[in-house]
């Protein structure tokens, strides 16, 4: 065997070692995880590991659903190129012959591309809707119930809209990796968190960069309390391996039906202390 043929064989074996049974090579090429020649480089291997890592969280949740999740519905908000939805479909739903993945995205070009790719791969139970997350909560194209809601780096308040969507659709699980958040920081800048302004705590948002960071942190804390107040058990972890992004907080909410009164009280108190009562009427309206 020539040197070239040997190298080709080794590269093929390497790719085979990374693939799951039945996984679409064509999809991985489209997602630029594999090169057009079907090769894997170090960057791609890292990317594949990250995608698998996130998928593993979601797979476990899907398997908790009736019928081991075979007929589950999943909506991915702020889908972008929909690589998360595609990977979930390819690794979970494709072989099961049931279930449906919805990708919600405002950019028409990305929606068109995802539709075309799903057509080429014969991923029939995938739909891509050119809607905002907020619009999708009442859109007729979606069923009344969605089992799993995902939102990976959905911009700004799109994560809040995804939570509202999950509540409206009685989702069993929500998997959220929030993106940058500006709304709370803007409120903080305006109100200067009056109740706290005379305390040393005000140092936490004196500099504009800190205002932004604490705004983002506070937003995620408020989101978790809001989910708990609405009958979800919440875990917050790091999306390990997501080194390419500063935003790697993973919030997993599991519906238990037990509305935590203490979380609702804490949410109201925090909003009041930080001078964010206006958000009580919009984002964090309690049941
Ligand atoms: C940072 S990208 C993340 C894409 C993908 N989830 C990922 O992690 O690769 C955010 C995407 O959300 C979309 N988006 C932002 N706000 C949205 C909204 N309110 N409704 C639907 N899509 C939105 C943007 O067009 C963009 O494609």
């Amino acid at each position: 065997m020539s040197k070239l043929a040997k190298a080709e064989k080794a590269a093929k074996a390497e790719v085979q070692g990374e693939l799951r049974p039945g996984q679409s090579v064509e999809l991985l090429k489209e997602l630029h995880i594999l090169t057009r020649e079907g090769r894997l480089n170090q960057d791609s291997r890292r990317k594949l590991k990250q995608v698998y890592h996130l998928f593993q969280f979601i797979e476990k949740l899907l398997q908790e659903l009736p019928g081991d999740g075979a007929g589950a519905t999943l909506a991915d908000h702020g889908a972008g190129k929909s690589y998360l939805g595609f990977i979930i479909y390819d690794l979970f739903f494709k072989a099961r012959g049931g279930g449906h993945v919805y990708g919600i995205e405002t950019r028409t070009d990305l929606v068109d591309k995802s539709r075309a790719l799903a057509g080429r791969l014969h991923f029939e139970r995938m739909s891509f809707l050119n809607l905002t997350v907020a619009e999708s909560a009442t859109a007729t194209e979606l069923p009344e119930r969605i089992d799993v809601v995902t939102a990976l780096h959905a911009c700004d308040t799109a994560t809040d809209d995804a939570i509202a969507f999950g509540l409206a659709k009685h989702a069993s699980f929500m998997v959220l990796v929030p993106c940058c958040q500006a709304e709370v920081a803007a409120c903080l800048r305006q109100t200067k968190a009056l109740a706290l302004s005379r305390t040393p705590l005000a140092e936490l948002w004196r500099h504009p960069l800190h205002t932004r960071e604490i705004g983002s942190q506070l937003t995620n804390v408020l989101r978790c309390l809001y989910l708990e107040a609405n009958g979800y058990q919440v875990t917050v972890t790091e999306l390990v391996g997501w080194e390419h992004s500063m935003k790697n907080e993973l919030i997993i909410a599991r519906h238990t039906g037990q509305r935590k009164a203490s979380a609702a009280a804490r949410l109201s108190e925090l909003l009041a202390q930080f001078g964010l009562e206006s958000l009580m009427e919009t984002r964090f309206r309690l049941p």
Side-chain angles (χ1 to χ4, degrees), residues 68-222:
D68 287 336
T73 47
L74 181 146
D76 183 34
H77 290 291
K81 291 180 183 160
S82 286
Y83 76 87
L84 179 62
F86 276 113
I87 289 283
I88 294 172
Y89 188 94
D90 192 34
L91 295 181
F92 191 87
F93 290 110
K94 190 174 71 180
R96 285 169 172 81
H100 203 109
V101 174
Y102 297 88
I104 316 295
E105 171 56 52
T106 41
R107 274 182 56 186
T108 316
D109 56 327
L110 296 181
V111 171
D112 289 345
K113 277 189 184 149
S114 295
R115 283 179 182 156
L117 178 57
R120 279 203 300 284
L121 297 171
H122 306 291
F123 287 3
E124 283 109 6
R125 287 167 284 108
M126 285 194 89
S127 307
F128 300 93
L129 306 176
N130 194 193
L131 297 169
T132 65
V133 180
E135 286 165 352
S136 70
T138 50
T140 51
E141 296 97 318
L142 283 140
E144 293 222 333
R145 214 195 130 98
I146 291 284
D147 298 304
V148 181
V149 170
T150 58
L152 178 57
H153 295 145
C155 312
D156 199 3
T157 52
T159 301
D160 301 292
D161 293 335
I163 293 173
F165 173 97
L167 296 180
K169 298 288 182 186
H170 310 287
S172 297
F173 299 105
M174 299 192 218
V175 179
L176 312 163
V177 183
C179 197
C180 44
Q181 215 283 347
E183 192 179 46
V184 165
C187 289
L188 274 180
R189 256 177 236 120
Q190 234 175 26
T191 66
K192 298 285 177 213
L194 282 179
L196 298 170
S197 63
R198 287 177 200 283
T199 72
L201 282 179
E203 290 303 317
L204 293 177
W205 55 91
R206 184 158 57 91
H207 297 287
L209 183 68
H210 292 162
T211 313
R212 202 178 66 200
E213 282 175 1
I214 201 164
S216 189
Q217 162 93 350
L218 183 57
T219 304
N220 289 341
V221 170
L222 294 169

Side-chain angles (χ1 to χ4, degrees), residues 1-2 49 74 79 88 91 97 128 150 152 154 184 190 236 243 246 260 262 280 286:
M1 195 186 287
S2 73
K49 284 219 158 76
L74 181 146
I88 294 172
L91 295 181
F128 300 93
T150 58
L152 178 57
V184 165
Q190 234 175 26
V236 183
E243 297 92 354
M246 300 267 289
K260 220 170 150 186
S262 58
M280 192 67 126
L286 286 167

Side-chain angles (χ1 to χ4, degrees), residues 159-168 174 176 218-234 251 253 258-260 262-268 270-271 279-287:
T159 301
D160 301 292
D161 293 335
I163 293 173
F165 173 97
L167 296 180
M174 299 192 218
L176 312 163
L218 183 57
T219 304
N220 289 341
V221 170
L222 294 169
R223 285 168 175 159
C224 291
L225 288 170
Y226 184 57
L227 283 162
E228 287 174 341
N230 275 286
Y232 286 78
Q233 187 190 63
V234 174
I251 300 174
Q258 285 177 342
R259 294 178 175 190
K260 220 170 150 186
S262 58
R266 274 286 159 102
L267 175 64
S268 307
L270 264 182
L271 290 170
L279 296 181
M280 192 67 126
E281 301 305 314
T282 52
R283 299 266 161 239
F284 304 113
R285 195 193 292 261
L286 286 167

